[in-house]
């Protein structure tokens, strides 16, 4: 096996308890594993990568990762997003996939390359069923597995499934139910885990990824809990992310989402919950203690997406103090984990009024160590001997970065995903000097723009008022 040495002005190592900074340090890997981290290395090397004025750190772990052409650009600024929800009539009688499988897989490949460009080495994708006929399929995810394997990403994968879909009915938000489709979806998800868990030298792992809690029946949640135990895999279920969800679960079951999860057997160490913003009731959504969340594998905090929708975690430090494992997800475009950490750091200050809240160090831990803990992996999220050779290089030499103080605070405040230059996953360089082998960036961009235009036009066919695109998505300024 070849041995590679990566040198940089700052190397974020791990001393067995926490991250540490090696000034003018190096990290050495052989095959798929790290063999040395420290200030110097005198052993043999087949290749030396001198990153110069840069940070070399562990790859970021994104547990709510962008996996489509993102819709946040067109649905985060409406006074009401009712027009972007399926109409009940469309759900019941006219629904259809907007794109054929080939185009959907292009969208997935485009999104996965964006993860690499932003230094994300381990990802668990968010559901992308908005433009599907119902949810994701086995065939689609078999294609994604091939793409991830070819690009070299480490991923936790499984097709989404749901018993119902959010709709507008008589001017109000509701759910259109077809439980048999949820059962079929779970069966396909189980089949996928059995077929692909451990593929591509172990970089692909299976997971059960049902959609939002208000679109999954109690029976399907119970069946998911049983399947996860049988397969020994993780479950991720979006939960406590909106007031509509709280209201519907209160109307249907008379319970808070956490009580629902406990009753069906999901509230435990296999479960990841993205967002987990609303601990209380619809009338007092931020009241309540986060203690019960400490029983989970973790919550997936997505500060950049959250603030785009006018919300924030209340609050990051309180959750951590309660023993909650707080990992991170990007959940939108760009999947920029550096910006995500920076937004989280700033939002923590805003909601608490404390400048020391949500420290840069704690957010960096959340993007690395906490994500690894959520996955049950002590070989990810750190640069240490025997850990996987997953690492990213972030350039600090550009004129816009400015002076470097503490490297982690400088990373959050002065850098972005655009400063990621080189990414290594499992000992394989998947991006060098911002170039991903085999990817025609200009062609991808042109095709993605055409895809986005068609995706945007499809909203009119689902809108309960059948409004044209120009009315659903008016420009910021009128055309000249």
């Amino acid at each position: 096996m070849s041995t590679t040495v990566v040198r940089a002005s700052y190397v974020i190592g791990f001393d067995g308890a926490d991250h540490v900074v090696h000034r003018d340090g190096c990290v050495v890997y052989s095959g798929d594993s790290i063999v040395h981290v420290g200030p110097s290395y005198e052993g043999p090397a087949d290749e030396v990568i001198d990153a110069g004025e840069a940070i070399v750190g562990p790859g970021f772990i994104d547990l709510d990762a962008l996996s489509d052409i993102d819709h946040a650009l067109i649905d985060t600024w409406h006074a009401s997003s009712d027009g972007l929800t399926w109409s009940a009539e469309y759900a019941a009688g006219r629904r259809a996939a907007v794109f054929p499988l080939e185009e959907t897989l292009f969208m997935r490949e485009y999104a996965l390359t964006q993860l690499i460009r932003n230094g994300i080495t381990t990802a668990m994708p968010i559901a992308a069923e908005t433009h599907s006929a119902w949810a994701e399929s086995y065939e689609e995810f078999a294609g994604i597995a091939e793409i991830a394997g070819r690009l070299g990403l480490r991923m936790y994968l499984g097709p989404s499934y749901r018993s119902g879909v959010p709709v507008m009915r008589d001017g109000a938000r509701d759910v259109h139910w077809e439980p048999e489709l949820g059962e079929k979806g779970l069966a396909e998800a189980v089949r996928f885990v059995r077929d692909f868990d451990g593929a591509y030298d172990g970089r692909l792992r299976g997971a059960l990824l049902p959609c939002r809690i208000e679109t999954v029946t109690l029976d399907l949640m119970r069946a998911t809990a049983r399947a996860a135990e049988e397969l020994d895999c993780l479950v991720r279920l979006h939960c406590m992310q909106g007031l509509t969800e709280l209201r519907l679960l209160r109307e249907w079951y008379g319970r808070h989402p956490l009580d629902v999860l406990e009753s069906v057997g999901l509230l435990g160490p296999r479960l990841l919950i993205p967002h987990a913003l609303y601990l209380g009731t619809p009338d007092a959504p931020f009241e309540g203690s986060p203690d019960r969340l400490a029983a989970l594998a973790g919550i997936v905090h997505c500060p950049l997406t959250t603030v785009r929708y006018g919300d924030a975690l209340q609050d990051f430090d309180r959750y951590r103090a309660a023993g909650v494992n707080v990992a991170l997800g990007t959940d939108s475009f760009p999947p920029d984990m550096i910006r995500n950490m920076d937004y989280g750091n700033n939002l923590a200050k805003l909601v608490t009024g404390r400048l020391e809240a949500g420290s840069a160090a704690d957010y960096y831990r959340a993007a690395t160590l906490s994500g690894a803990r959520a996955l049950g992996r002590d070989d990810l999220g750190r640069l240490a001997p025997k850990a996987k050779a997953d690492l990213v290089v972030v350039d600090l030499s550009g004129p816009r970065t400015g002076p470097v103080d503490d490297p982690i605070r400088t990373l959050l405040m002065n850098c972005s995903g655009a400063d990621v230059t080189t990414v290594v996953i499992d000992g394989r360089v998947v991006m060098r000097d911002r170039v991903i082998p085999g990817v025609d960036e200009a062609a991808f961009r042109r095709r993605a723009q055409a895809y986005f235009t068609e995706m945007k036009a499809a909203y009119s066919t689902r809108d309960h008022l059948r409004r044209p695109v120009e009315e659903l998505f008016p420009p910021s300024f009128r055309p000249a």
Side-chain angles (χ1 to χ4, degrees):
M1 292 184 292
S2 63
T3 298
T4 302
V5 179
V6 184
R7 294 196 173 102
S9 53
Y10 301 96
V11 171
I12 313 302
F14 184 75
D15 66 0
D18 200 0
H19 294 307
V20 293
V21 179
H22 296 283
R23 188 70 168 94
D24 296 320
C26 63
V27 57
V28 184
Y29 63 88
S30 180
D32 65 356
S33 299
I34 294 170
V35 296
H36 173 81
V37 182
S40 62
Y41 175 74
E42 303 301 331
D46 299 286
E47 182 181 13
V48 176
I49 299 174
D50 189 350
E53 190 70 12
I55 296 171
V56 176
F60 299 130
I61 298 174
D62 186 347
L63 299 183
D64 211 33
L66 176 81
S67 61
D68 66 351
I69 303 293
D70 190 40
H71 55 80
L73 185 62
I74 54 178
D75 70 2
T76 55
W77 46 269
H78 294 264
S80 170
S81 60
D82 292 347
L84 309 186
T85 302
W86 289 15
S87 69
E89 176 260 341
Y90 175 84
R94 291 192 299 110
R95 66 175 186 263
V98 176
F99 299 101
L101 181 61
E102 178 187 359
E103 288 298 306
T104 299
L105 290 178
F106 159 73
M107 171 265 290
R108 298 293 200 171
E109 183 166 5
Y110 177 81
L112 267 52
T113 63
Q114 295 294 329
L115 298 177
I116 292 172
R117 294 187 191 285
N118 284 277
I120 292 160
T121 57
T122 299
M124 181 181 283
I126 56 174
E129 73 281 335
T130 306
H131 306 288
S132 303
W134 186 260
E136 296 165 338
S137 69
Y138 176 95
E139 290 74 21
E140 181 180 344
F141 266 70
I144 295 170
E146 186 277 327
I147 294 166
R150 172 162 41 84
L151 292 174
L153 263 170
R154 191 181 304 283
M155 298 197 77
Y156 282 70
L157 287 174
S160 68
Y161 52 95
R162 57 184 175 183
S163 315
V165 62
V167 296
M168 291 299 298
R169 180 177 282 115
D170 300 326
R173 291 180 180 268
D174 200 355
V175 176
H176 168 81
W177 295 103
E178 294 190 32
E180 66 279 2
L181 293 182
E183 295 166 8
K184 177 183 177 184
L186 173 58
E188 288 199 350
V190 168
R191 176 187 167 204
F192 179 88
V193 173
R194 287 177 173 154
D195 288 351
F196 287 93
D197 187 55
Y200 295 98
D201 298 320
R203 289 193 303 275
L204 297 191
R205 299 298 306 274
L208 297 179
L209 309 178
C211 297
R212 306 162 64 114
I213 190 173
E214 73 271 27
T215 65
V216 185
T217 63
L218 297 179
D219 284 344
L220 192 58
M221 283 188 259
R222 292 188 187 99
T224 296
R226 292 193 297 269
E229 183 173 0
E230 179 184 345
L231 296 167
D232 190 22
C233 72
L234 292 168
V235 178
R236 191 195 60 201
L237 179 61
H238 283 66
C239 187
M240 294 179 285
Q241 63 176 334
L243 294 178
T244 298
E245 171 203 319
L246 291 188
R247 174 181 63 81
L248 290 173
L249 267 62
R250 181 74 62 179
E251 290 175 2
W252 298 337
Y253 312 126
R255 295 174 176 175
H256 185 269
L258 286 177
D259 297 317
V260 172
L261 292 171
E262 186 172 36
S263 72
V264 298
L266 279 175
L267 193 68
R270 294 187 190 280
L271 183 65
L272 286 161
I273 296 180
H275 306 305
L277 299 174
Y278 298 114
L279 294 170
T281 66
D283 295 327
F286 296 113
E287 290 185 4
S289 169
D291 293 357
R292 294 175 71 190
L293 296 172
L296 307 177
I299 70 163
V300 186
H301 176 33
C302 307
L304 177 55
T305 293
T306 299
V307 74
R308 281 176 165 172
Y309 289 95
D311 224 330
L313 190 70
Q314 310 264 339
D315 64 83
F316 179 74
D317 292 334
R318 180 168 69 107
Y319 278 51
R320 294 183 75 252
V324 182
N325 183 36
V326 184
L328 294 186
T330 55
D331 196 19
S332 63
F333 192 96
D336 188 335
M337 188 61 80
I338 297 173
R339 286 180 67 191
N340 205 48
M341 290 187 282
D342 183 36
Y343 268 84
N345 170 239
N346 290 319
L347 282 170
K349 297 175 184 180
L350 182 65
V351 300
T352 64
R354 297 184 296 108
L355 285 178
E356 73 274 18
S359 72
D362 282 341
Y363 266 95
Y364 192 83
R365 293 183 183 107
T368 54
L369 297 172
S370 296
R373 188 179 308 120
L375 298 173
R377 301 285 297 263
D378 60 7
D379 60 345
L380 300 179
R382 68 209 69 197
L383 298 185
K386 298 183 180 180
K388 288 292 186 181
D390 292 4
L391 55 97
V392 300
V393 177
V394 182
D395 180 36
L396 298 176
S397 67
R400 63 173 298 281
T401 302
V404 177
D405 173 33
D406 171 83
I408 299 303
R409 286 194 294 271
T410 299
L411 175 74
L412 268 63
M413 297 183 71
N414 294 15
C415 299
S416 72
D419 296 303
V420 174
T421 62
T422 298
V423 178
V424 177
I425 303 175
D426 225 25
R428 172 186 171 189
V429 178
V430 299
M431 183 174 78
R432 187 189 294 268
D433 297 329
R434 297 185 174 88
V435 175
I436 299 175
V439 172
D440 184 335
E441 185 176 350
F444 263 45
R445 179 172 176 79
R446 289 192 298 270
R447 189 172 176 185
Q449 184 64 55
Y451 184 104
F452 181 81
T453 301
E454 188 174 350
M455 178 196 84
K456 188 174 175 182
Y459 277 95
S460 292
T461 67
R462 298 189 295 267
D463 176 30
H464 65 297
L465 297 178
R466 299 288 189 95
R467 287 167 287 189
V469 171
E470 295 75 15
E471 186 176 343
L472 280 173
F473 309 112
S476 298
F477 298 108
R478 64 178 178 81

